[in-house]
Amino acid sequence: MLKILFKIYFWLIAIPVFATATLLTSITVIIGCILAGEIFFSYYPGMIWSRLACLLTLCPVKVVGREHIQKGRSYVFVANHQSAYDIFLIYGYIGSPIKWMMKKGLAKIPFVGYACRKAGFIFVDNSSAKAALKSIIEAEKIIKRGRGSLVVFPEGGRTPDGHLQRFKRGAYQVASNLQLPVIPITLNGPFNVMRMNSFNILPHKMEMIIHKAIEPPINADKEQLQQLTDNTCNTIFSSLWKEFQ
């Protein structure tokens, strides 16, 4: 009975409210970034929108380790990718201005894609090594301008089963080149809320664990980058719920 009531509420109330909020947030970000600059408008409207998404779908959120983030300092945040709800969890509750590295295809979403461009987010093209390198260079330019931290899902896509996939090294190359600390983030619960290739959403608790920063080696070679990649992967894995290990 409760599942039926939730579905009625979800399709008649939550979805229309969220769709309206998405449009209004996109317009606010576009106009705000054009007229007032992206420092404020690339983060705070999206933060409110993300928290609203979690509230509308009745998903309680727990955050652990926010004290590991120093105010005013830039980082490269790397997180496991369980679900589309990872975005709401990080954007809404990390408490620090961020820039996303996201799939190129998301740029095609009406209003949202353009808003992301105006906000200074980086669209990653993995069609070739040259295209991927271009994305890394673009990310470095944006972070050098002092416009927040970078958020990357090193797996490159959502997990199909809740378990960790192989981590790619692009985010760690940026961290090494710019000498930015890497902060691993463990996400638990988004997989239970919304799984890959599914529009079936179920209320479930979500948890974000922010780990201690790891300083990258200067001018890291491939072996050092792989070691950094493995270290953060192991750190993220260590705090996953047992069902995802």
Side-chain angles (χ1 to χ4, degrees), residues 9-28 49-50 52-53 56-57 85 88 109-112 201:
Y9 155 78
F10 179 74
W11 289 106
L12 295 183
I13 298 176
I15 284 293
V17 171
F18 178 72
T20 302
T22 300
L23 178 60
L24 292 176
T25 300
S26 298
I27 293 172
T28 300
W49 170 74
S50 296
L52 176 63
L56 283 171
T57 46
Y85 264 70
F88 303 137
I109 300 176
F111 289 100
V112 173
I201 294 177

Side-chain angles (χ1 to χ4, degrees), residues 81-82 155 157-163 165 191 195-197:
H81 201 1
Q82 289 195 342
E155 293 166 283
R158 289 167 289 173
T159 171
D161 56 9
H163 299 287
Q165 310 299 302
F191 182 77
R195 302 188 179 189
M196 185 172 65
N197 300 325

Side-chain angles (χ1 to χ4, degrees), residues 101 122 124 129 131-142 150 169-171 173-174 177-178:
M101 286 190 75
I122 303 100
V124 180
L133 178 61
K134 185 178 179 181
S135 300
I136 291 175
I137 294 173
E138 183 182 353
E140 291 179 357
K141 287 180 179 178
I142 289 174
L150 189 65
R169 295 198 299 259
Q173 186 68 65
V174 174
N177 291 349
L178 299 183

Side-chain angles (χ1 to χ4, degrees), residues 88-101:
F88 303 137
L89 187 52
I90 294 175
Y91 211 166
Y93 297 93
I94 199 167
S96 178
I98 54 177
K99 300 292 184 186
W100 292 93
M101 286 190 75

